[in-house]
Amino acid sequence: SSSFFIIMSELKAFKNADISNEEELQNPFIALNRWLDEAKSMKIKNYNTVSFATVDRDGHPDARQMLIKEIDEKTGSLVFYTNEHSAKGKELEENPFVALNGYWGSLDRSFRIKGQAEFVSEKESDEYWNTRSLDAQVSAAISEQGSELTSKDEFARKFAEEKAKAKGGKIPRPSHWHGYRVYASSIELWYEGSEEARVHNRIEWDRTINRKGNNISDVAGFDLGSWSYKY
């Protein structure tokens, strides 16, 4: 059908997209934001999913899938939300250094980010919390992430009880559930070149970032250096 050829034409254009304009070379988060928008427009399911790695107290890497909820081009940062009592929350409290990897197979693109995490403000967490459905709020409020579940039936009973209390409205955000902002110190954008020769395109950006606060919960931000890139 004609719609199929339109989609395939768009996909080909996206696959052949290049990072060569000066604005994107000076700020890789502009390019990353464009890639996310293009993945979303292609209706890729969970287009904003990344593999998110922390380090436990024994120095072992620990990865899981997360959803990026915000990209800030100005600060070169991204935001996700979770329970601070979860394994990742506890690991971030001890070691705020993280690594992320995103991949869109249908677009032949991927990205890697290294950086440091910090809480977002209470206001930001509240604003995002209020966009969630009641079911999503209740699940997050009663979930004891990282702890053993007594039984699925018990969880379902507790879910029904808490949802009934809300009477169709919203429930307050638990103090242990909030957003984290990851300030990138490096980012790599990869996209396919010659498939036959296995020669692909990779650009890496680096900058210096220095935490202003003493710990992850200070919400003090970072002193951010300028980006430099290499092929």
Side-chain angles (χ1 to χ4, degrees):
S1 66
S2 59
S3 61
F4 171 79
F5 288 109
I6 291 173
I7 290 173
M8 291 306 295
S9 176
E10 291 176 348
L11 182 58
K12 184 177 181 180
F14 288 159
K15 279 191 173 186
N16 293 334
D18 197 6
I19 300 172
S20 56
N21 72 72
E22 193 62 25
E23 185 181 38
E24 291 185 341
L25 287 173
Q26 294 303 317
N27 185 347
F29 272 74
I30 295 176
L32 178 60
N33 224 357
R34 173 171 64 85
W35 281 16
L36 281 163
D37 286 343
E38 291 174 352
K40 182 179 180 180
S41 71
M42 292 301 297
K43 295 182 168 48
I44 295 175
K45 186 177 180 181
N46 295 328
Y47 69 95
N48 55 337
T49 301
V50 296
S51 177
F52 183 84
T54 49
V55 178
D56 67 20
R57 63 177 51 189
D58 296 318
H60 300 149
D62 190 9
R64 76 286 290 161
Q65 300 299 103
M66 298 287 295
L67 296 177
I68 297 173
K69 294 300 183 179
E70 178 194 332
I71 291 281
D72 186 348
E73 297 175 358
K74 184 177 180 180
T75 61
S77 64
L78 52 88
V79 174
F80 67 92
Y81 291 84
T82 192
N83 184 330
E84 72 172 280
H85 296 160
S86 64
K88 57 186 169 295
K90 293 174 182 177
E91 289 164 0
L92 286 169
E93 183 67 30
E94 294 192 3
N95 185 343
F97 289 87
V98 301
L100 301 83
N101 174 234
Y103 174 66
W104 302 289
S106 58
L107 295 179
D108 292 319
R109 295 179 182 180
S110 70
F111 64 92
R112 297 196 305 154
I113 292 174
K114 294 178 183 178
Q116 295 187 53
E118 180 179 78
F119 285 3
V120 304
S121 68
E122 296 292 304
K123 181 175 181 290
E124 288 178 90
S125 290
D126 286 338
E127 287 176 349
Y128 176 71
W129 177 264
N130 290 330
T131 68
R132 291 167 66 94
S133 67
L134 177 59
D135 282 1
Q137 287 183 344
V138 172
S139 293
I142 68 172
S143 175
E144 298 179 8
Q145 273 186 274
S147 300
E148 184 177 351
L149 188 65
T150 305
S151 73
K152 289 185 178 180
D153 289 341
E154 176 63 19
F155 186 87
R157 182 192 63 77
K158 192 173 181 180
F159 178 92
E161 285 182 358
E162 293 301 317
K163 185 174 180 179
K165 290 178 185 178
K167 297 180 179 179
K170 298 286 187 178
I171 63 174
R173 176 181 62 86
S175 60
H176 59 266
W177 192 98
H178 44 74
Y180 291 79
R181 182 177 296 278
V182 174
Y183 291 86
S185 56
S186 70
I187 175 172
E188 176 188 284
L189 301 181
W190 178 98
Y191 54 104
E192 186 177 80
S194 168
E195 187 173 1
E196 292 79 11
R198 302 292 294 171
V199 178
H200 305 302
N201 303 286
R202 179 184 287 118
I203 310 177
E204 181 181 333
W205 290 259
D206 294 285
R207 67 176 178 178
T208 300
I209 64 172
N210 293 304
R211 184 183 298 276
K212 294 180 180 179
N214 295 318
N215 55 60
I216 195 171
S217 60
D218 279 349
V219 197
F222 285 74
D223 289 319
L224 305 172
S226 299
W227 289 108
S228 62
Y229 67 91
K230 60 185 178 182
Y231 292 96

